[in-house]
Amino acid sequence: MTSGREKFGAFIRREREAREIGLREMAKKIGVSPTYMSKVERDEFTPPTEDKVRSIAQILECDPDELLAMAGRVPSDLADIIKRHPVEMSALLRTANGLSAEDLARLSREAGKAKGK
Amino acid sequence: MTSGREKFGAFIRREREAREIGLREMAKKIGVSPTYMSKVERDEFTPPTEDKVRSIAQILECDPDELLAMAGRVPSDLADIIKRHPVEMSALLRTANGLSAEDLARLSREAGKAKGK
DNA sequence: TCAAGTGTAGAGTGAACGCTAGACAGGAAA
DNA sequence: TTTCCTGTCTAGCGTTCACTCTACACTTGA
């Protein structure tokens, strides 16, 4: 996984406990066994599938894209966009990479304008 | 895979034959068995791993990003970019989606300028 | 003291992925 | 006719993925 950030499991455990949700309850809500949940939270298992990560994001009220990133996954809708316009989107992403958050925000607004018209 | 475009296998077979490269030769160059190559080209097997797709792109002199898209894969460097900046890149891609090729090109130039400074 | 709740250990599972081996058929060249 | 080339068929194999089941130990409260 090689993530520089906080690990997925550690993060969701912390957030779950902050919300005082039991492991078994959480597991039930997202539709997995408590054992599995436990191992995932201790980063002993790799994170679950996209839909389950999304469920977790909803329960913990955090950004699904961010959580998916922690899970080492690319949101499938983004994957689809790239597959539909590989050349353009690859170019866009590679040049956008390394830009500051402000520049990126500005760029998105720019895109929004072009779209809106 | 659900690709509306030409299938990966059909495409590389056509391009390979156009370049008069034998199946066995091709297979050897990218480091797989002829059997496997054959099945991939007839879309009986799913496309190979990213590095092999890249080798194929190089041999057939076609765009790796495009070929990877046909293979139903997201280039790993793009996946990394998204994972590093999930919120910003998700927003950018989603708003960029649906823009015309020209608008996209303009947007990339825009990004390039911001970066260059 | 014991019952119910917490999380955890160890082992295993079914399906999918990525790929190979060996045999073989059809055509061209010698 | 034999030899060599082309691609293809059937069968299977090792690995990874995304999980589960049973059993257990610890804490808390009645």
Side-chain angles (χ1 to χ4, degrees):
Chain A
M1 250 205 318
T2 349
S3 102
R5 326 176 180 229
E6 184 178 19
K7 294 258 183 61
F8 177 82
F11 175 82
I12 66 170
R13 167 147 299 186
R14 188 162 51 68
E15 293 302 309
R16 175 177 65 76
E17 290 180 339
R19 280 163 185 73
E20 310 205 332
I21 304 172
L23 183 145
R24 276 176 161 82
E25 185 187 345
M26 180 85 163
K28 188 162 198 180
K29 279 189 185 180
I30 72 165
V32 296
S33 68
T35 308
Y36 179 62
M37 200 69 224
S38 169
K39 303 221 176 206
V40 166
E41 287 194 347
R42 283 172 305 110
D43 293 297
E44 198 176 314
F45 279 1
T46 54
T49 52
E50 175 163 0
D51 56 319
K52 291 188 176 66
V53 173
R54 288 191 185 279
S55 296
I56 295 169
Q58 201 165 5
I59 293 167
L60 300 181
E61 295 162 300
C62 61
D63 188 316
D65 294 317
E66 214 158 352
L67 199 59
L68 281 167
M70 279 189 205
R73 294 185 189 276
V74 171
S76 53
D77 65 316
L78 299 189
D80 288 344
I81 291 173
I82 294 170
K83 283 175 214 160
R84 258 185 235 103
H85 313 282
V87 178
E88 299 85 345
M89 294 303 178
S90 298
L92 180 59
L93 276 181
R94 291 195 185 105
T95 49
N97 188 31
L99 290 187
S100 66
E102 305 96 86
D103 280 342
L104 281 172
R106 205 177 45 71
L107 206 59
S108 279
R109 275 201 307 280
E110 211 60 34
K113 273 198 296 185
K115 196 175 198 172
K117 84 122 225 341
Chain B
M1 251 209 312
T2 349
S3 102
R5 326 175 182 231
E6 185 179 18
K7 294 257 181 63
F8 177 83
F11 175 82
I12 67 170
R13 165 146 300 185
R14 189 161 51 67
E15 293 300 310
R16 174 177 66 76
E17 291 179 339
R19 280 163 185 74
E20 309 206 332
I21 304 172
L23 182 145
R24 277 176 161 80
E25 186 189 343
M26 179 87 163
K28 189 163 197 180
K29 279 189 184 179
I30 73 167
V32 296
S33 70
T35 306
Y36 180 61
M37 200 69 225
S38 170
K39 302 227 174 202
V40 167
E41 287 193 349
R42 284 172 303 111
D43 293 297
E44 199 176 313
F45 278 2
T46 54
T49 53
E50 174 163 1
D51 56 319
K52 291 186 176 67
V53 173
R54 288 192 185 280
S55 296
I56 295 170
Q58 201 165 3
I59 293 167
L60 301 182
E61 297 162 298
C62 63
D63 189 318
D65 294 318
E66 215 159 350
L67 200 59
L68 281 167
M70 280 189 204
R73 293 184 189 279
V74 171
S76 55
D77 65 314
L78 299 189
D80 288 345
I81 291 172
I82 294 169
K83 283 174 213 161
R84 258 185 235 103
H85 314 282
V87 179
E88 298 86 346
M89 294 304 177
S90 297
L92 180 59
L93 276 181
R94 291 195 186 105
T95 48
N97 188 31
L99 290 188
S100 66
E102 307 95 86
D103 279 342
L104 281 171
R106 204 176 47 69
L107 206 59
S108 279
R109 277 201 304 282
E110 210 60 33
K113 274 197 294 185
K115 197 173 194 173
K117 86 113 230 326

